[in-house]
């Protein structure tokens, strides 16, 4: 009855109020500011995409809205809208007097409000400039503002504003948003039935939303189609075809967030670029992420985590049984498995593009991104940098190193202390080749290598990697430096990218209103010659084939890398690469307490690395699978094993059984 009352009051005003009072009210209302509609700039959702154009997430503040310019809107959408909402839209000046009186007559006959009289322009005014209160003053303002808007904006601009402002149910504002949300389609790809569903929604979004009341929504759409047919705007074939169609409707979440760690990291980096309106600015952010690799990375990390928990429970049971007969046995049943977590980051070795980034085993439980923010000791995963320096100084895989124990004395706070490092295996080889020392991660051989190079010279040479805050003592040989997995991945590109270190990227470009406002630039840094990087790759390849990284092997592809396990098994790493893709995996307890003493980097991180690459091959079987030697590499058979040399790392002169083979030129 409120609409009946309003219409009667309008009639009374028009017929009986003093023309002077009416004119005064009109002039007052006409002077009100309408700039928010004339300069219509609503908050617009930002979209994040992966490298293949697949949407990762929607980012918005209060309203989820994509903006569609008038040129994007199909003419059929306009016809459907005008047919059902305002047939004389292109003829009237903003209000439809005939419709007002026609509605009044129907109200009088029915005794209640049965038909509205608002034009599309009035509906737009109500949504943008006014409240929804049902008062006479608001209705008069609505009509006056509509007249004013029609003088300020073209019909096309009014339609553009209307179709972007109106609510379409399910949290969708604007028809472009609704088309994407309900149908996963662009406006230009909609069928007539889908268009009819959308233009029929604003009348009662909660009632007609196809995700809630599909049949009711189809009935409303059919009325739109029937109206278009009655007006002669569609032919009989189109009419019948549209009536029979039953479109597929999707019931998505508004954010559609497929990779929350990526979204969080993108937000952080976008803010660093000085963009503060990410949630409202309507940006299109194109990332380097491959969403398919992101999913398999997440699965690989979770599976390795679950397997570790199973092993730890098994360790506890076995240790408890041993303790029954051997009270002196040292147990590890106090291991706090609830704090165990992990992370994985994977890069395109040549470009530095981040392909996958997983910051924890389960984002819902912990959103802290350990891949970018977690600083941990890499342990033996740091050794390849020391060995690369040695190779660059002329050492080769065949160079003999001393693998014996030494005791070092040092002073701390005026007190003389002793340091006696050990190998993980608690044995000594005496002499061991450089290759075997790294393949089997021999701590003592590495420390002696540092002494052989000279600590100060080593530190000067390591500067080329750009690694910050290096320890200035022999503990550097054991990786006593804090690095995040992403930082370690960056430095490992020096090996994986043939001696050229690349800066990791997450964002490829950012567009706004069709214009590119940011585009990545590749940053590279020369570390060493291709030949020297390849020699290191052959050693790290052996780490995976027959060394500490055996659990990281994946059938059908060559992999190179290094395990890392810190003192007391606090951190477990595997950092490695295929010919084109590099990956770093980390596991550990969040409070820096030890994992179980038998959980090493090879045992916990290696399997995650392996599964990840097995799934890469399933997704991309065409990728390069073998490392290719650069020009200048010479292969020599030494004691039945292949060794690789270059102009810098020369073959041994005194080995009688060294049989140089042909130079490998590719």
């Amino acid at each position: 009855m409120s609409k009946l009352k309003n219409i009667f009051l309008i009639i009374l005003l028009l017929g009986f109020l003093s023309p002077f009072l009416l004119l005064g009210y009109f002039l007052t209302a006409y002077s009100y500011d309408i700039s928010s509609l004339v300069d219509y700039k609503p908050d617009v959702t930002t979209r994040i995409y992966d490298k293949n154009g697949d949407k990762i997430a929607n980012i918005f503040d209060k309203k989820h809205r994509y903006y569609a310019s008038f040129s994007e809107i199909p003419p059929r959408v306009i016809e459907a809208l005008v047919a059902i909402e305002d047939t004389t839209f292109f003829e009237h000046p903003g209000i439809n007097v005939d419709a007002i009186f026609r509605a009044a007559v129907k109200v009088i006959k029915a005794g209640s409000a049965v038909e509205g009289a608002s034009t599309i322009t009035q509906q737009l005014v109500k949504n943008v400039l006014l409240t929804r209160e049902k008062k006479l003053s608001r209705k008069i303002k609505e009509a006056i503002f509509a007249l004013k808007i029609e003088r300020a904006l073209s019909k096309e601009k009014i339609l553009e504003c209307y179709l972007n402002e109106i609510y379409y149910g399910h949290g969708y504002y604007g028809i472009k948003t609704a088309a994407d949300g309900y149908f996963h389609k662009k406006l230009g790809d909609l069928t007539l039935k889908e268009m009819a569903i959308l233009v029929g929604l604003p009348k009662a979004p909660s009632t007609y939303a196809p995700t809630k009341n599909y049949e009711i929504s189809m009935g409303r759409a059919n009325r739109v189609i029937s109206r278009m047919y009655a007006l002669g705007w569609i032919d009989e074939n189109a009419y019948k075809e549209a009536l029979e169609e039953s479109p597929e409707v999707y019931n998505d979440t508004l954010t559609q967030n497929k990779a929350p760690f990526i979204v969080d990291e993108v937000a952080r980096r976008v803010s660093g670029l000085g963009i503060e309106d990410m949630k409202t600015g309507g940006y299109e952010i194109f990332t380097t992420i491959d969403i398919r690799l992101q999913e398999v990375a997440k699965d690989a990390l979770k599976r390795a985590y679950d397997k570790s928990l199973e092993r730890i429970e098994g360790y506890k049971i076995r240790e408890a049984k041993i303790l029954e007969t051997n009270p002196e046995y040292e147990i590890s049943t106090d291991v706090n498995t609830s704090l165990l977590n992990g992370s994985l980051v994977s890069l395109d070795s040549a470009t530095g593009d981040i392909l996958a980034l997983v910051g924890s085993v389960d984002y819902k439980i912990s959103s802290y991104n350990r891949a970018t923010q977690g600083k941990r000791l890499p342990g033996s995963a740091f050794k390849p940098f020391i060995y690369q320096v040695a190779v660059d100084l002329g050492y080769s895989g065949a160079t003999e190193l001393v693998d014996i124990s030494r005791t070092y004395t040092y002073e701390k706070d005026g007190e003389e202390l002793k340091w006696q490092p050990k190998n993980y295996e608690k044995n000594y080889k005496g002499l061991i080749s450089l290759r075997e020392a790294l393949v089997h991660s021999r701590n003592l051989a590495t420390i002696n290598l540092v002494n052989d190079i000279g600590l100060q010279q080593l530190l000067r040479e390591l500067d080329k990697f750009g690694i910050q805050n290096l320890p200035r003592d022999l503990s550097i040989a054991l990786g006593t430096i804090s690095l995040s997995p992403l930082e370690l991945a960056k430095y490992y590109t020096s090996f994986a990218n043939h001696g050229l270190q690349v800066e990791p990227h997450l964002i490829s470009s950012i567009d706004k209103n069709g214009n590119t406002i940011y585009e990545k630039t590749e940053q590279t840094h020369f570390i060493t010659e291709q030949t020297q990087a390849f020699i290191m790759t052959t050693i790290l390849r052996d780490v995976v084939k027959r060394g500490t990284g055996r659990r990281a092997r994946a059938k059908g592809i060559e992999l190179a890398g290094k395990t890392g396990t810190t003192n007391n098994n606090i951190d477990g790493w595997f950092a490695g690469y295929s010919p084109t893709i590099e990956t770093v995996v980390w596991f550990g307890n969040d409070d820096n307490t030890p994992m179980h003493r038998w959980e090493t980097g090879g045992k916990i991180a290696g399997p995650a690395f392996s599964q990840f690459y097995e799934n890469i091959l399933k997704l991309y079987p065409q990728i390069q699978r073998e490392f290719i030697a650069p020009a200048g590499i010479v292969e020599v058979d030494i004691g039945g094993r292949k060794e690789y040399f270059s102009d810098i790392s020369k073959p041994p002169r005194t080995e009688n059984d060294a049989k140089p083979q042909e130079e490998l030129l590719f």
Side-chain angles (χ1 to χ4, degrees), residues 101-284:
F101 281 103
R102 187 167 59 248
V105 170
K106 290 188 176 182
V107 166
I108 293 169
K109 288 182 178 180
S112 62
V114 294
E115 182 177 303
S118 293
T119 63
I120 288 174
T121 311
Q122 287 175 275
Q123 293 177 45
L124 177 62
V125 165
K126 179 174 65 177
N127 278 274
V128 178
L129 301 177
L130 301 173
T131 65
R132 291 181 173 272
E133 60 181 354
K134 296 181 179 181
K135 291 184 178 180
L136 174 62
S137 58
R138 199 271 294 166
K139 293 294 291 183
I140 295 175
K141 286 180 183 178
E142 179 186 293
I144 294 171
F145 283 177
L147 294 170
K148 190 174 182 180
I149 289 296
E150 290 269 355
R151 291 178 62 86
L153 300 177
S154 67
K155 291 287 188 179
E156 290 77 14
K157 189 62 179 179
I158 291 170
L159 287 169
E160 179 181 315
C161 293
Y162 176 90
L163 288 168
N164 282 288
E165 175 64 25
I166 295 300
Y167 181 57
Y168 288 83
H170 203 76
Y172 302 141
Y173 288 84
I175 195 166
K176 185 175 182 178
T177 322
D180 177 81
Y182 286 128
F183 306 120
H184 290 184
K185 288 185 177 183
K186 297 179 180 179
L187 287 171
D189 297 330
L190 294 172
T191 65
L192 177 58
K193 184 60 163 284
E194 291 165 343
M195 295 177 190
I197 292 170
L198 296 181
V199 300
L201 278 167
K203 182 176 180 66
S206 61
T207 300
Y208 295 130
T211 50
K212 288 184 176 181
N213 302 303
Y214 187 83
E215 294 302 325
I216 295 175
S217 179
M218 295 305 107
R220 171 68 173 167
N222 288 342
R223 287 195 292 276
V224 174
I225 295 164
S226 296
R227 176 65 175 161
M228 295 177 73
Y229 180 61
L231 291 170
W233 293 357
I234 57 174
D235 60 27
E236 186 173 359
N237 288 336
Y239 169 66
K240 290 181 178 179
E241 182 180 339
L243 289 181
E244 293 173 0
E245 184 186 352
S246 298
E248 181 178 5
V249 174
Y250 296 88
N251 192 5
D252 292 333
T253 61
L254 296 186
T255 60
Q256 296 183 34
N257 194 338
K258 298 178 182 177
F261 279 114
I262 303 304
V263 172
D264 291 352
E265 187 64 17
V266 165
R268 188 182 69 81
R269 295 187 180 217
V270 165
S271 179
L273 294 173
I275 297 174
E276 301 299 334
D277 62 338
M278 176 177 164
K279 291 185 177 181
T280 60
Y283 299 96
E284 289 189 297

Side-chain angles (χ1 to χ4, degrees), residues 503-564:
E503 188 72 26
H505 297 283
L506 180 61
I507 299 174
S508 293
S509 63
I510 302 176
D511 291 358
K512 183 171 184 178
N513 299 328
N515 300 313
T516 299
I517 62 172
Y518 167 83
E519 195 164 16
K520 73 169 185 178
T521 54
E522 289 188 9
Q523 299 174 349
T524 60
H525 176 55
F526 176 79
I527 299 296
T528 188
E529 300 293 339
Q530 289 189 35
T531 53
Q532 305 313 102
F534 180 76
I535 290 173
M536 178 54 56
T537 291
T538 67
I539 299 174
L540 296 179
R541 183 176 59 188
D542 279 353
V543 171
V544 177
K545 283 183 176 180
R546 56 186 179 82
T548 59
R550 292 186 300 276
R551 288 183 176 88
R553 289 177 295 188
K555 187 176 181 180
I557 189 169
E558 284 192 329
L559 298 170
K562 184 68 187 72
T563 55

Side-chain angles (χ1 to χ4, degrees), residues 417-653:
L417 301 174
K418 293 183 179 181
W419 180 48
Q420 191 172 22
K422 299 178 181 179
N423 288 322
Y424 181 80
E425 298 87 348
K426 296 183 173 57
N427 59 17
Y428 320 106
K429 296 291 185 182
L431 290 178
I432 189 172
S433 71
L434 182 145
R435 176 178 293 273
E436 295 306 302
L438 187 53
V439 165
H440 299 289
S441 200
R442 306 291 289 186
N443 292 336
L444 298 177
T446 305
I447 293 170
N448 289 324
L449 174 61
V450 172
N451 277 321
D452 193 25
I453 296 172
L455 179 60
Q456 295 309 312
Q457 183 177 9
L458 174 67
L459 291 171
R460 286 194 299 271
E461 294 294 327
L462 284 174
D463 281 343
K464 65 188 178 184
F465 290 97
I467 304 171
Q468 302 297 311
N469 303 315
L470 287 169
R472 317 299 290 184
D473 54 45
L474 288 177
S475 70
I476 192 173
L478 305 182
T480 55
I481 176 177
S482 294
L483 294 172
S484 71
L486 181 58
E487 287 174 329
L488 187 61
K490 168 187 172 179
Y491 301 132
Y492 258 70
T493 62
S494 307
F495 316 128
N497 192 36
H498 319 295
L500 200 63
Q501 186 184 107
V502 291
E503 188 72 26
H505 297 283
L506 180 61
I507 299 174
S508 293
S509 63
I510 302 176
D511 291 358
K512 183 171 184 178
N513 299 328
N515 300 313
T516 299
I517 62 172
Y518 167 83
E519 195 164 16
K520 73 169 185 178
T521 54
E522 289 188 9
Q523 299 174 349
T524 60
H525 176 55
F526 176 79
I527 299 296
T528 188
E529 300 293 339
Q530 289 189 35
T531 53
Q532 305 313 102
F534 180 76
I535 290 173
M536 178 54 56
T537 291
T538 67
I539 299 174
L540 296 179
R541 183 176 59 188
D542 279 353
V543 171
V544 177
K545 283 183 176 180
R546 56 186 179 82
T548 59
R550 292 186 300 276
R551 288 183 176 88
R553 289 177 295 188
K555 187 176 181 180
I557 189 169
E558 284 192 329
L559 298 170
K562 184 68 187 72
T563 55
T565 308
T566 57
N567 282 346
N568 299 317
N569 301 68
I570 289 175
D571 300 283
W573 298 78
F574 192 85
Y577 50 96
S578 72
T580 57
I581 297 174
E582 180 203 320
T583 304
V584 172
V585 181
W586 167 85
F587 277 98
N589 288 335
D590 283 332
D591 64 349
N592 278 289
T593 56
M595 300 182 290
H596 193 280
R597 61 184 174 184
W598 292 335
E599 288 297 281
T600 63
K603 185 174 287 187
I604 189 171
F609 183 92
S610 173
Q611 182 183 331
F612 181 55
Y613 278 87
E614 287 174 354
N615 284 313
I616 288 176
L617 289 181
K618 292 176 183 177
L619 292 170
Y620 300 106
Q622 74 279 10
I623 67 168
Q624 184 180 333
R625 298 186 179 216
E626 295 182 353
F627 295 106
I628 300 175
I633 285 291
V634 176
E635 181 183 309
V636 177
D637 188 299
I638 297 180
R641 264 193 187 150
K642 292 180 181 178
E643 195 53 77
Y644 302 87
F645 301 94
S646 68
D647 287 343
I648 297 172
S649 299
K650 299 181 182 300
R653 297 178 181 177

